[in-house]
Amino acid sequence: MDFSTEIKYLKGVGPARAEAFSKLGVDTVGALLRFYPRAYEDWSNIIPIRQAPPGTECCIRGVVSYAPTKVRIPGGKFLSKTCITDGKGILNLVFFNNKYIGNMLKEGEEYLFFGKITVDKHGIRQMVSPLISKGEDKDRIRPIYPQTAGLSSKLTEKCTMQVLKNCKEIPEFMPPEILAENDLCSLDFAIRNIHFPESFEALDKAKKRLIFDELFILQLGLLSIKNRTDEEKTDMVLKKDCTEEFYARLPFSPTGAQKRAIFEAFSDMSSGEPMNRLLQGDVGSGKTLVAAALIYNTAKNGMQSAFMAPTEVLAEQHFRTLSKIFDGTDIKTVLLTGSSTEKEKREIKKAIRDGSADLVIGTHAIIQNDVEFLRLGLAVTDEQHRFGVAQRAALSKKGQNPNILVMSATPIPRTLGLIIYGDLSVSVLDELPPGRQKTETYCVSQALHERIYNFIKKHLDKGYQAYIVCPLVEEGDSDLIPAQEYCKFLQNTAFRGYRLGLLHGQMKSKEKDNIMRDFESGKIQLLVSTVVIEVGVDVPNAVIMVIENAERFGLSQLHQLRGRVGRGNALSTCILVSDAQNDEAKRRFDIMCKTTDGFLIADEDLKMRGPGDFFGSKQHGLPSLRIADILTDTKILEEAQKSAQKIIATDGKLQLPEHKNIKRRIDKMFGNGYVKA
Ligand code: ADP
Ligand code: MG
């Protein structure tokens, strides 16, 4: 059987089921073999009823004491009951609405039952809707697959079994020395045992091999995207140190942490090897200034810089901030976003190409094909977690081994950093600019709105500014007042006579820009906004952040939002408004009220959401993984990294014939086109 055979040609799979398979991403026989079980049922370990621990899933062998009885229950449904015994213990069985159970279970016969043990109100052990086997599943570890409508785990199991029976040995792609060095089983063994494990040891071996494969391919792919090796040199070298000159231009002195980070980055950039540095610092720690110092040096050394931000609001803000800092120098700064007009774009691109623009700030518009730099010396990415690996790589490919600085408020575990940035170095801004006070945080119920409004007004009257953030409005969210209406409502009631502004995602970029400008200049006192405000916005005179329906936001998001205030010297307040009663929301609020430490919050967020979610591909831009978990499979990851580096060292472009299949797998994981030879 050919792995590219379409799934609909399998026995028992018609067009409808093929459709269902397709929903799960399975279109071919090959994809079916890569559709791994999400869990296993252990039918090989039969537990005596009296020893079966409540709350766990187990396999019980027992004789049916009487034919199942049927009882009607409200809602036109019915319930069947029976009990089984293994000679020593009794187990009650309950089934809901199961028409076939009477025919399936015969009095006096023996079956295997698999399910979760619970205890009923009389203290007797029971199983609700267990799986039943006439004994044919004895001694087996059975796979459980993710399901979808019209496709049961059992059917997937049957199909997979059919394919495995009909296919000869699954061909190996991994070089034999890598298999030997890392004590890995063959691919054939791994695939067969991930679906139908001979034993739990065999399952572990299979898992290890498949996890290794995935991380190895991921790592190789990233290495070849970067196409960087240790001995790499660059011509983008800082010869002249103009840092002191830059400091002299600032209205304040940099913090010790900022100076240290700038020094570290400058050392990289003057070394002759390209910099690859992550700048990690909590919201408000002043990362932009570090970038500005390096951009200044880069320009003074005759090279260009690119500064990429995830949103237009942020790109525009950076443009204003940096233009101000560089005002009076000969550094020419341009802004390129998706909403620049065609004419503007043409002129800006020309300036980038002929080198008259020293600094280009923009959104991902600056990685478009037709943007060419004359001499790109430094590529900065702000809020790195918002970009994909490929986007960052595209930015650095705009030059010849430019220096790379990525900035982030979200701490990432070192292993993940290694994967994403390879041999990255890290600078940490662990110090806030002087005079900052901790933002006070409160969680209040909706009933307190009047008091919140009065509190805001008191501050507006003193000349301060404030934000009110509402969650994004989705269809069917009838309980949420859309930001627009809410703004109108506030303007006509509590805030009559005050200057309100509205910012939301559907606005044109020019409108957004105007609103942000007016807020920055103080023309707008109270900004009502959706989450577009979340990333990086910096208006130090704003001292109150009200977050409506706060239960709708994740912990890191709440922290990011709170980071919009507390940026000046005045005491700031963050008010979380919510009537939510669920424990998870309450726990988030609790953490928010207790701490302002971003590292601690990221850690809690990770714990609460689980790594799969936190490090889902949306967060870091990596391809999604099927079986490996970057956070927990660290040991295998290190092994895979070593092996990947070895391959790259001998065959950097993966051109040797024995690496052909590896390369095919990389292309598949990253989507064709990402990895160029
Ligand atoms: P983030 O790290 O969140 O990107 P920003 O770079 O936006 O932080 O800086 C936050 C605010 O702190 C800005 O208003 C900036 O001007 C100010 N700032 C940065 N460094 C200093 C400093 N050394 N002293 C005083 N204010 C500073
Ligand atoms: Mg920032």
Side-chain angles (χ1 to χ4, degrees):
M1 195 175 300
D2 191 341
F3 293 134
S4 61
T5 306
E6 281 178 53
I7 195 97
K8 63 178 176 215
Y9 298 117
L10 283 184
K11 216 166 71 197
V13 182
R17 280 173 172 168
E19 186 82 3
F21 267 120
S22 186
K23 273 202 197 110
L24 296 172
V26 177
D27 292 305
T28 62
V29 165
L32 181 66
L33 292 183
R34 293 290 179 171
F35 186 63
Y36 305 138
R38 63 171 175 79
Y40 299 87
E41 288 163 4
D42 183 7
W43 293 74
S44 68
N45 185 16
I46 291 166
I47 312 258
I49 294 174
R50 286 161 90 175
Q51 284 162 30
T56 60
E57 289 199 324
C58 49
C59 183
I60 304 269
R61 186 190 357 236
V63 174
V64 175
S65 308
Y66 54 88
T69 58
K70 230 159 123 177
V71 191
R72 295 233 156 260
I73 52 172
K77 303 197 167 137
F78 62 90
L79 186 140
S80 315
K81 280 184 170 178
T82 181
C83 80
I84 58 164
T85 172
D86 61 2
K88 291 223 172 78
I90 291 178
L91 182 69
N92 284 335
L93 302 183
V94 181
F95 300 87
F96 290 101
N97 254 1
N98 189 329
K99 279 185 276 194
Y100 311 105
I101 209 70
N103 294 331
M104 256 157 84
L105 294 181
K106 299 261 164 16
E107 187 182 320
E109 303 229 341
E110 188 183 77
Y111 303 87
L112 293 178
F113 299 91
F114 189 93
K116 190 167 166 183
I117 301 277
T118 52
V119 177
D120 73 6
K121 54 179 185 276
H122 308 294
I124 309 238
R125 285 188 171 79
Q126 70 172 13
M127 266 188 190
V128 179
S129 306
L131 299 165
I132 304 164
S133 165
K134 192 80 240 234
E136 70 271 15
D137 290 309
K138 194 163 133 311
D139 295 341
R140 277 185 55 200
I141 301 170
R142 283 188 57 187
I144 309 174
Y145 295 92
Q147 307 186 23
T148 183
L151 194 62
S152 65
S153 171
K154 203 155 193 158
L155 186 88
T156 304
E157 183 184 347
K158 265 191 196 151
C159 293
T160 310
M161 179 130 15
Q162 191 191 136
V163 170
L164 283 176
K165 266 190 187 139
N166 287 318
C167 83
K168 291 192 229 81
E169 195 177 326
I170 296 166
E172 187 57 69
F173 70 92
M174 194 67 91
E177 60 283 5
I178 291 188
L179 292 181
E181 274 164 21
N182 297 289
D183 188 25
L184 298 173
C185 66
S186 72
L187 185 61
D188 185 73
F189 181 92
I191 294 283
R192 286 178 198 276
N193 278 278
I194 199 75
H195 292 288
F196 304 105
E198 288 162 16
S199 64
F200 280 100
E201 290 87 76
L203 178 60
D204 283 344
K205 266 193 140 354
K207 271 190 188 156
K208 179 178 173 192
R209 163 71 206 253
L210 296 174
I211 290 170
F212 184 96
D213 279 11
E214 207 163 45
L215 295 174
F216 172 79
I217 296 295
L218 175 71
Q219 192 62 65
L220 259 185
L222 292 170
L223 285 173
S224 48
I225 284 180
K226 291 200 194 87
N227 211 353
R228 284 191 163 185
T229 54
D230 284 339
E231 323 82 290
E232 190 129 29
K233 293 267 177 282
T234 182
D235 294 333
M236 302 300 149
V237 184
L238 296 184
K239 303 222 164 84
K240 207 165 50 159
D241 186 349
C242 305
T243 311
E244 286 304 325
E245 194 181 304
F246 172 78
Y247 289 162
R249 309 190 53 81
L250 297 174
F252 44 68
S253 29
T255 64
Q258 284 170 326
K259 282 188 176 163
R260 200 173 336 117
I262 293 167
F263 176 79
E264 286 164 354
F266 188 90
S267 308
D268 290 354
M269 293 170 73
S270 50
S271 72
E273 278 172 32
M275 170 168 80
N276 209 12
R277 188 168 282 276
L278 168 68
L279 177 63
Q280 210 168 74
D282 206 350
V283 285
S285 58
K287 294 184 285 294
T288 319
L289 186 90
V290 175
L294 302 175
I295 291 166
Y296 187 83
N297 270 302
T298 303
K300 290 293 170 189
N301 280 272
M303 293 173 279
Q304 294 170 293
S305 299
F307 191 143
M308 185 160 73
T311 64
E312 296 201 351
V313 167
L314 199 54
E316 279 149 9
Q317 175 190 287
H318 282 321
F319 179 69
R320 287 192 292 273
T321 309
L322 293 173
S323 301
K324 214 186 293 166
I325 294 184
F326 297 141
D327 190 31
T329 68
D330 52 1
I331 298 175
K332 186 174 171 201
T333 306
V334 296
L335 175 69
L336 183 66
T337 67
S339 61
S340 315
T341 65
E342 283 309 313
K343 184 157 165 278
E344 284 166 350
K345 277 186 196 156
R346 260 199 312 277
E347 279 163 17
I348 295 167
K349 282 175 196 164
K350 185 169 165 290
I352 302 173
R353 202 176 320 116
D354 67 20
S356 55
D358 301 293
L359 166 61
V360 185
I361 298 171
T363 54
H364 49 263
I366 64 181
I367 53 175
Q368 302 303 315
N369 279 335
D370 55 350
V371 180
E372 289 165 43
F373 287 79
L374 181 69
R375 208 168 133 70
L376 182 63
L378 171 66
V380 183
T381 327
D382 194 18
E383 308 294 343
Q384 61 79 27
H385 61 284
R386 292 296 181 103
F387 290 101
V389 178
Q391 284 173 311
R392 272 196 308 274
L395 181 59
S396 58
K397 289 234 166 93
K398 294 279 170 197
Q400 252 98 43
N401 290 337
N403 296 290
I404 293 172
L405 180 72
V406 288
M407 310 202 288
S408 178
T410 315
I412 50 170
R414 183 159 170 77
T415 44
L416 186 64
L418 278 176
I419 291 189
I420 302 181
Y421 309 112
D423 51 349
L424 93 165
S425 5
V426 184
S427 294
V428 180
L429 296 185
D430 51 4
E431 181 184 352
L432 291 180
R436 296 282 173 82
Q437 303 187 51
K438 254 196 189 143
T439 300
E440 289 182 344
T441 305
Y442 305 96
C443 179
V444 304
S445 75
Q446 308 257 17
L448 288 177
H449 263 125
E450 276 313 308
R451 281 179 62 185
I452 299 172
Y453 298 153
N454 288 333
F455 181 75
I456 297 176
K457 281 192 276 192
K458 215 175 77 197
H459 285 81
L460 300 188
D461 291 341
K462 285 191 199 147
Y464 291 115
Q465 290 162 279
Y467 298 95
I468 298 185
V469 172
C470 328
L472 271 183
V473 184
E474 294 157 36
E475 258 177 294
D477 275 351
S478 53
D479 55 329
L480 296 174
I481 311 169
Q484 207 164 7
E485 305 250 303
Y486 191 43
C487 184
K488 222 188 272 166
F489 165 78
L490 291 175
Q491 183 76 78
N492 291 330
T493 55
F495 292 91
R496 201 183 290 279
Y498 289 87
R499 302 183 303 273
L500 269 59
L502 172 70
L503 193 74
H504 61 77
Q506 272 93 51
M507 278 162 91
K508 287 221 182 67
S509 163
K510 276 261 147 44
E511 294 172 86
K512 274 193 230 161
D513 194 23
N514 286 338
I515 295 283
M516 275 323 291
R517 250 176 228 273
D518 289 348
F519 190 59
E520 249 168 61
S521 70
K523 226 164 156 189
I524 292 173
Q525 296 172 286
L526 172 62
L527 186 65
V528 180
S529 165
T530 60
V531 281
V532 290
I533 207 73
E534 181 196 345
V535 176
V537 166
D538 179 45
V539 179
N541 191 48
V543 295
I544 300 174
M545 165 63 70
V546 176
I547 305 174
E548 303 279 355
N549 296 95
E551 74 280 358
R552 297 246 163 171
F553 298 93
L555 197 47
S556 293
Q557 216 178 4
L558 290 174
H559 179 64
Q560 270 279 348
L561 285 169
R562 176 169 62 186
R564 299 312 109 215
V565 296
R567 299 186 147 242
N569 290 343
L571 176 68
S572 294
T573 312
C574 173
I575 304 172
L576 310 173
V577 188
S578 174
D579 286 342
Q581 290 302 325
N582 68 72
D583 288 346
E584 223 209 279
K586 281 201 207 146
R587 215 179 122 205
R588 285 200 296 260
F589 302 154
D590 203 40
I591 294 165
M592 282 293 291
C593 294
K594 261 200 218 122
T595 183
T596 52
D597 182 336
F599 283 72
L600 212 99
I601 286 176
D603 212 44
E604 285 294 327
D605 200 19
L606 184 60
K607 269 190 229 149
M608 285 168 77
R609 290 204 274 171
D613 198 9
F614 192 77
F615 293 111
S617 58
K618 276 187 226 95
Q619 291 282 340
H620 52 58
L622 288 177
S624 53
L625 302 176
R626 272 169 201 276
I627 187 166
D629 181 332
I630 288 171
L631 280 186
T632 54
D633 294 324
T634 40
K635 195 166 159 281
I636 304 182
L637 174 65
E638 276 165 26
E639 292 169 6
Q641 270 173 343
K642 267 191 215 131
S643 298
Q645 271 151 5
K646 248 189 224 169
I647 298 253
I648 283 286
T650 56
D651 181 19
K653 304 206 160 152
L654 299 176
Q655 283 165 328
L656 294 177
E658 64 262 39
H659 296 152
K660 198 178 95 207
N661 283 328
I662 292 182
K663 191 158 178 321
R664 254 194 38 224
R665 275 167 195 273
I666 295 174
D667 287 344
K668 205 158 174 197
M669 180 182 273
F670 284 80
N672 291 331
Y674 272 13
V675 185
K676 303 216 171 62

